[in-house]
Amino acid sequence: MRQIGRRGFMAAMAAAGAAVPLAAAALPVAADPLTAAGATAARRRRAPTAELRGMWLATIANRDWPSQPGLTAAVQRTELLTHLDTAAARRLNAVILQVRPSADALWPSPYEPWATCLTGTQGKDPGWDPLGTAVKEAHARGLELHAWFNPYRVAEHTDPGRLSAAHPARVHPDWILPYGGKLYYNPGLPEVRSFVQDAMLDAVRRYDIDAVHWDDYFYPYPVAGQTFQDDAAYRRYGGDFPDRAAWRRDNTDQLVRGTAAEIKKIKPGLRFGISPFGVWRNATTDPLGSDTRAGVQTYDDLHADTRAWVRNGWVDYIVPQLYWSIGFAGADYAKLVRWWDGVVRDTGVALYVGEALYKAGDPAQVEPWQDPAELSRHLALAKGFAGVRGHCFFSGREVGSDPIGAMSRLVADHYR
């Protein structure tokens, strides 16, 4: 798989692709459209589904869509509609579309340039409104459209000169830091947190999206031998904290808590969800943690206290990326579902499980992923936990191509 961030990293972390063409699913279209839940003065609200059946649709590096940069607007639109049709045919009911992949936008944003994935040139107008079209066409098919934003990633390289001339990172070079071959906004700067929040909320104000969705990138995943050089920000703002890690976690908390509050002000019924890496902390690190031996812990390594966000009610749903097989020694899917079910208990926060469809049939993965029934077993196991309200599959390309028939199998077993 190409360098696309969280999923590529987690495939390696799980000890362990080439692109495959989208194939429309040969299944009947779903017959369970969403119901309306009243109206506000300006817009119609939609009731969340009782069971989420979602798929991520990634645009970073053209992972899922568009299939390549520089396609005409008509071809891009046709490809998008094919993904939506495939989701409906697979009897899914939600698409999580990546609309802010690298501090650029899939809508005409006044804050950031047009996304590189559309035309191949950051800032170039693609000639249409992908997010607006996605919302309209998803709803026409009975699908929710969750707008997926990445808060801090600026580029998949470290050269600011390759960004569009008016890019905020070039206007404010003091906002960015290179790390691990990429550029990031510095989460320790209050002006950065304010800016990225405003950039994301622009889409909330302008479109009838069904949720705001974030992935697992906050502080970057650790890279051996490298240091995230936020010393100046820590000296300026970290004096009230016992150590840098606590200060960083507070920076992340501020963005989560603040964005949640602003969403409720703008559109009180709009949901806010996050899909973190699946392990908060190992039990060997913290007795409240999971019975795992993961090499990454979100609390310690990404400075993201995902458990606290749920317990404090800052999010409406959580989608932990449980990208391991049942019985996997270092991070057992079954143990992690049980742990997350306990985290959401009595909170009112919905638990959706992130599923690694992209691993099905991958020869680099462990033996269980060669069995088309592995993902179906995941859904059967999760039904035993009251807190699990659905599943989300990574990602759109594999939902269509259906590696080894794993998607068809789980649809036949669970979505009939």
Side-chain angles (χ1 to χ4, degrees), residues 192-388:
V192 163
R193 296 194 298 270
S194 178
F195 171 79
V196 299
Q197 185 179 97
D198 288 343
M200 293 182 286
L201 292 175
D202 178 66
V204 172
R205 291 185 174 91
R206 297 173 63 178
Y207 297 96
D208 186 25
I209 59 176
D210 295 286
V212 170
H213 183 97
W214 290 356
D215 54 30
D216 52 315
Y217 275 110
F218 297 97
Y219 280 85
Y221 280 91
V223 176
Q226 297 195 29
T227 302
F228 193 67
Q229 297 287 355
D230 57 357
D231 294 10
Y234 180 51
R235 285 194 299 268
R236 184 172 182 182
Y237 298 109
D240 294 334
F241 296 88
D243 53 41
R244 191 182 306 231
W247 169 71
R248 286 177 173 176
R249 278 191 295 274
D250 183 72
N251 294 331
T252 310
D253 284 351
Q254 287 190 58
L255 185 70
V256 173
R257 184 173 62 244
T259 302
E262 289 301 313
I263 290 170
K264 301 311 177 191
K265 288 180 186 177
I266 298 167
K267 291 178 179 174
L270 190 66
R271 285 166 288 154
F272 178 33
I274 298 178
S275 56
F277 180 76
V279 175
W280 172 71
R281 300 188 95 183
N282 297 320
T284 52
T285 304
D286 187 324
L288 294 175
S290 52
D291 182 13
T292 50
R293 299 189 301 278
V296 168
Q297 302 168 88
T298 59
Y299 182 94
D300 303 273
D301 297 304
L302 307 182
H303 309 291
D305 192 353
T306 54
R307 181 180 181 275
W309 303 343
V310 173
R311 303 303 295 179
N312 291 331
W314 296 345
V315 293
D316 299 297
Y317 69 77
I318 194 85
V319 196
Q321 298 169 29
L322 304 190
Y323 289 176
W324 301 282
S325 55
I326 296 172
F328 185 75
D332 184 345
Y333 178 92
K335 292 179 178 179
L336 281 162
V337 169
R338 181 179 299 110
W339 186 86
W340 280 102
D341 178 69
V343 170
V344 301
R345 191 169 301 140
D346 301 324
T347 65
V349 175
L351 171 61
Y352 309 135
V353 181
E355 301 285 354
L357 176 62
Y358 74 95
K359 287 187 175 182
D362 182 348
Q365 301 299 327
V366 295
E367 188 275 334
W369 290 110
Q370 313 312 314
D371 183 351
E374 174 67 18
L375 282 176
S376 182
R377 286 193 287 267
H378 287 199
L379 272 64
L381 183 151
K383 285 181 179 178
F385 297 92
V388 177

Side-chain angles (χ1 to χ4, degrees), residues 86-244:
T86 300
R90 296 291 190 196
R91 300 191 178 98
L92 306 183
N93 56 27
V95 172
I96 300 176
L97 173 63
Q98 191 175 33
V99 300
R100 186 177 183 266
S102 293
D104 50 16
L106 269 74
W107 76 97
S109 168
Y111 294 92
E112 294 177 311
W114 281 105
T116 306
C117 64
L118 297 171
T119 64
T121 301
Q122 191 174 62
K124 183 178 179 180
D125 190 335
W128 68 304
D129 181 355
L131 177 53
T133 301
V135 171
K136 177 182 176 181
E137 296 293 343
H139 289 175
R141 290 160 175 76
L143 299 165
E144 294 183 359
L145 197 288
H146 298 210
W148 165 16
F149 306 86
N150 182 283
Y152 292 125
R153 182 174 54 221
V154 173
E156 296 285 281
H157 55 78
T158 59
D159 181 6
R162 292 170 58 186
L163 303 174
S164 64
H167 195 290
R170 294 185 69 174
V171 177
H172 302 280
D174 54 314
W175 286 6
I176 57 176
L177 293 171
Y179 181 77
K182 302 180 183 182
L183 284 176
Y184 296 91
Y185 281 128
N186 185 351
L189 299 178
E191 58 269 35
V192 163
R193 296 194 298 270
S194 178
F195 171 79
V196 299
Q197 185 179 97
D198 288 343
M200 293 182 286
L201 292 175
D202 178 66
V204 172
R205 291 185 174 91
R206 297 173 63 178
Y207 297 96
D208 186 25
I209 59 176
D210 295 286
V212 170
H213 183 97
W214 290 356
D215 54 30
D216 52 315
Y217 275 110
F218 297 97
Y219 280 85
Y221 280 91
V223 176
Q226 297 195 29
T227 302
F228 193 67
Q229 297 287 355
D230 57 357
D231 294 10
Y234 180 51
R235 285 194 299 268
R236 184 172 182 182
Y237 298 109
D240 294 334
F241 296 88
D243 53 41
R244 191 182 306 231

